């Protein structure tokens, strides 16, 4: 499901273009040359949304702690309509375990853009959404983010979560999902899940939104779309350096998942995957290679491309492709199960 993009430039609303420019400028200023982050500076623009037990646009939210010792928690989004369903006739919704983007180094589960996005998913699909607040790099390097992801799945499958789990949540239809770096985390958590025998939780699918993968090679799309919004080679190089163990290069198997150092996953159980790609995303060549790598490994995979989509387009309701993404993309994935 893709179309060739014949446009050479994006026509974005001026308010959106200004927002992206400001966020990019502050993000760049927050990234120090010694590969640390000026958190105080970035927090000036990283506005947070509090949880709300009262329905906001049809969704209630609450924050649940997984492990206080490492400040691992998630925000739970529950469609408010489910609260009026009788105990004996509860409507069951799929569960989406979501990992936010931000290059492993920026944003939190309660950051306003991701809170808004998860509320949209919960309301419009509808679904119970669990947005994981994993530890950030460079303070916490690889594989801490993957460990936080799999430990959250184990918590959801534990007795500890039973009393907190909304009656409408169907853990037998559990999707991993993530955007950008979050989609990278979702992929590796899906692989780690093979080491566990879950009691109730069943991984039905993986929703990979413009996943953040890469390699030592400079692809055609990275070079051609050097001036695209949000993503640049300089930014992604810094991000990988902040995330990876000391001495690693971009052909590390966490980055180049089907590259020269990657493991063969053809014999590994892996959920059906849908990969979303944008025509103005410099990472699109790596994303398409990811899709092809899954297919060659014998995995069920689907590719959906939005020709006018830039990196993170799905998070902006004012962009037409964002609504199409929710209506056509996500709903297609959920309905297929």
């Amino acid at each position: 499901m893709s179309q060739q993009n014949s446009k050479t430039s994006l026509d974005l609303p001026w308010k959106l273009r200004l927002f992206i420019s400001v966020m990019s400028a502050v993000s760049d200023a927050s990234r120090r040359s010694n590969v640390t982050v000026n958190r105080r500076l970035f927090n000036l623009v990283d506005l947070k949304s509090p949880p709300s037990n009262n329905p906001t646009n049809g969704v209630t939210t609450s924050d649940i702690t997984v492990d206080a010792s490492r400040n691992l928690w998630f925000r739970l989004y529950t469609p408010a309509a489910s609260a009026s369903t009788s105990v004996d006739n509860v409507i069951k919704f799929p569960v989406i375990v979501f990992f936010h983007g931000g290059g492993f180094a920026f944003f939190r589960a309660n950051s306003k853009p991701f809170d808004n996005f998860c509320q949209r998913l919960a309301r419009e699909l509808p679904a119970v959404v669990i947005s994981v607040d994993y530890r950030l790099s460079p303070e916490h390097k690889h594989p801490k983010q993957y460990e936080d992801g799999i430990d959250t799945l184990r918590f959801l499958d534990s007795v500890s979560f039973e009393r907190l789990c909304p009656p409408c949540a169907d853990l037998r239809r559990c999707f991993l999902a993530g955007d950008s770096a979050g989609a990278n985390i979702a992929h590796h958590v899906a692989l780690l899940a093979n080491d566990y025998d879950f009691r109730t939780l069943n991984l039905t699918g993986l929703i990979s939104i413009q996943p953040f993968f890469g390699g030592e090679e400079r692809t055609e799309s990275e070079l051609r779309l050097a001036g695209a919004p949000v993503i640049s080679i300089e930014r992604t190089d810094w991000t990988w350096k902040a995330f990876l163990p000391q001495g690693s290069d971009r052909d590390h198997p966490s980055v180049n998942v089907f590259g020269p150092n990657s493991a063969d996953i053809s014999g590994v159980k892996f959920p059906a995957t849908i990969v979303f790609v944008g025509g103005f995303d410099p990472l699109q060549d790596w994303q398409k290679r990811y899709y092809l790598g899954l297919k060659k490994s014998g995995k069920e995979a689907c590719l959906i491309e939005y020709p006018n989509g830039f990196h993170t387009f799905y998070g902006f309701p004012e962009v037409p492709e964002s609504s199409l993404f929710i209506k056509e993309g996500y709903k297609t994935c959920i309905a297929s199960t």
Side-chain angles (χ1 to χ4, degrees), residues 126-165:
V128 173
V129 179
I130 290 168
S131 181
V132 182
D133 192 71
Y134 55 85
R135 288 170 289 181
L136 300 178
S137 64
E139 295 89 344
H140 304 280
K141 287 181 173 287
H142 167 283
K144 301 300 183 183
Q145 294 75 12
Y146 304 158
E147 293 171 354
D148 289 350
I150 191 62
D151 286 346
T152 299
L153 289 191
R154 295 174 65 191
F155 177 82
L156 296 177
D157 193 57
S158 70
V159 175
S160 300
F161 184 60
E162 285 183 354
R163 62 184 177 84
L164 303 171
C165 184

Side-chain angles (χ1 to χ4, degrees), residues 62-141:
S62 59
D63 293 343
I64 296 176
T65 299
V66 176
D67 184 352
S69 69
R70 53 179 147 156
N71 195 27
L72 175 59
W73 58 275
F74 61 79
R75 178 157 291 181
L76 174 67
Y77 299 81
T78 307
S82 64
S84 63
T85 307
S86 67
V87 174
D88 295 328
N89 188 29
V90 175
I91 298 174
K92 292 287 189 178
F93 298 127
V95 174
I96 297 176
V97 179
F98 180 78
F99 300 95
H100 67 82
F104 307 102
F106 297 100
F107 298 109
R108 305 292 297 273
N110 58 353
S111 293
K112 189 170 178 56
F114 291 104
D115 183 71
N116 291 342
F117 179 64
C118 288
Q119 288 205 34
R120 284 181 67 199
L121 294 182
R123 180 177 61 252
E124 297 183 29
L125 291 180
V128 173
V129 179
I130 290 168
S131 181
V132 182
D133 192 71
Y134 55 85
R135 288 170 289 181
L136 300 178
S137 64
E139 295 89 344
H140 304 280
K141 287 181 173 287

Side-chain angles (χ1 to χ4, degrees), residues 101-335:
F104 307 102
F106 297 100
F107 298 109
R108 305 292 297 273
N110 58 353
S111 293
K112 189 170 178 56
F114 291 104
D115 183 71
N116 291 342
F117 179 64
C118 288
Q119 288 205 34
R120 284 181 67 199
L121 294 182
R123 180 177 61 252
E124 297 183 29
L125 291 180
V128 173
V129 179
I130 290 168
S131 181
V132 182
D133 192 71
Y134 55 85
R135 288 170 289 181
L136 300 178
S137 64
E139 295 89 344
H140 304 280
K141 287 181 173 287
H142 167 283
K144 301 300 183 183
Q145 294 75 12
Y146 304 158
E147 293 171 354
D148 289 350
I150 191 62
D151 286 346
T152 299
L153 289 191
R154 295 174 65 191
F155 177 82
L156 296 177
D157 193 57
S158 70
V159 175
S160 300
F161 184 60
E162 285 183 354
R163 62 184 177 84
L164 303 171
C165 184
C168 62
D170 186 0
L171 285 170
R172 296 168 300 178
R173 288 192 296 154
C174 182
F175 293 80
L176 294 177
D179 74 300
S180 193
N184 178 297
I185 295 172
H187 169 83
H188 290 285
V189 170
L191 292 175
L192 289 173
N194 282 275
D195 295 334
Y196 300 95
D197 185 17
F198 295 110
R199 299 180 313 122
T200 305
L201 186 146
N202 177 57
L203 289 183
T204 303
L206 192 159
I207 304 167
S208 188
I209 314 165
Q210 295 182 288
F212 185 28
F213 298 118
E216 285 295 301
E217 175 192 351
R218 301 302 188 191
T219 66
E220 187 274 338
S221 64
E222 286 177 303
L223 298 174
R224 174 171 51 86
L225 295 170
V230 182
I231 287 289
S232 70
I233 288 176
E234 187 273 332
R235 289 169 183 157
T236 57
D237 282 359
W238 184 96
T239 299
W240 290 126
K241 187 178 294 185
F243 171 68
L244 291 171
Q246 189 73 28
S248 301
D249 65 19
R250 294 189 305 276
D251 279 332
H252 188 281
S254 291
V255 184
N256 196 347
V257 292
F258 291 108
N261 302 317
S262 64
D264 180 11
I265 67 168
S266 58
V268 176
K269 184 179 179 181
F270 198 84
T273 302
I274 185 168
V275 182
F276 293 96
V277 176
F280 281 93
D281 187 349
L283 299 176
Q284 63 183 270
D285 285 348
W286 291 113
Q287 294 157 1
K288 292 174 183 177
R289 289 185 190 184
Y290 174 60
Y291 160 74
L292 293 174
L294 290 174
K295 296 288 284 186
K296 290 178 181 177
S297 298
K299 311 307 175 188
E300 183 179 349
C302 173
L303 178 74
I304 296 182
E305 182 173 5
Y306 295 95
N308 296 327
F310 57 94
H311 199 76
T312 71
F313 76 90
Y314 43 83
F316 301 99
E318 60 269 42
V319 176
E321 288 77 12
S322 178
S323 295
L324 288 174
F325 165 78
I326 297 289
K327 294 176 182 178
E328 300 177 351
Y330 248 109
K331 286 193 174 183
T332 296
C333 182
I334 298 295

